[in-house]
Amino acid sequence: MSNHNQVVAKDTKSLAAINNIGFIKYEQGDKETAIQQWQQAIKINSQSAEATFALAVALYVTGQQQQAYQLAEKALMLDKNFADFYCMKKHLWGQSIMTDAQKFLSTSQMRTLLSKLR
């Protein structure tokens, strides 16, 4: 965590560091800070499928389903690989967010979206 904070202190637009802080905070149970980190990452690069999908998952579990579905659609149109757990694991997503992503992806609305994207 301190390494990522040092990177952000030197470069406030370091997408990777901001994104990773979001993942660390999520795994620590601080979903609000994770959400803020991913929103900041998306401001830096609105085409970041990873940050957008991570934000969608976090919003879904905090009860903001409609916004979550909209963001998930955008993210998966950018890169549908983020609907795959192998991809999440490859990008070092933690167990907590992967479990929540699995719940999110198993909803009927997400299954419908995924079938359209295939």
Side-chain angles (χ1 to χ4, degrees):
M1 182 69 160
S2 65
N3 288 345
H4 296 304
N5 284 328
Q6 288 174 9
V7 170
V8 173
K10 292 177 186 172
D11 180 6
T12 59
K13 295 194 182 291
S14 174
L15 183 64
I18 292 166
N19 217 20
N20 288 335
I21 291 169
F23 285 111
I24 292 167
K25 289 297 187 179
Y26 195 96
E27 293 304 309
Q28 292 174 338
D30 186 355
K31 290 180 177 57
E32 273 310 308
T33 301
I35 287 169
Q36 292 168 3
Q37 292 295 309
W38 291 318
Q39 288 171 332
Q40 185 178 352
I42 293 166
K43 284 180 187 171
I44 294 167
N45 180 356
S46 64
Q47 301 300 301
S48 173
E50 182 175 27
T52 304
F53 191 68
L55 177 59
V57 172
L59 291 175
Y60 176 78
V61 299
T62 59
Q64 300 173 64
Q65 279 85 9
Q66 193 56 41
Q67 189 178 3
Y69 288 121
Q70 291 170 351
L71 285 170
E73 183 173 9
K74 177 184 176 189
L76 296 177
M77 288 176 75
L78 290 168
D79 186 347
K80 65 182 176 189
N81 290 320
F82 281 101
D84 176 56
F85 295 104
Y86 175 77
C87 179
M88 291 176 202
K89 195 170 193 167
K90 186 175 124 186
H91 283 87
L92 305 177
W93 286 35
Q95 190 58 50
S96 181
I97 193 164
M98 284 181 58
T99 298
D100 290 342
Q102 185 174 17
K103 292 174 192 169
F104 183 44
L105 288 166
S106 68
T107 64
S108 62
Q109 196 164 347
M110 286 304 297
R111 286 194 315 266
T112 300
L113 173 62
L114 290 172
S115 69
K116 288 179 189 175
L117 294 174
R118 287 193 177 120

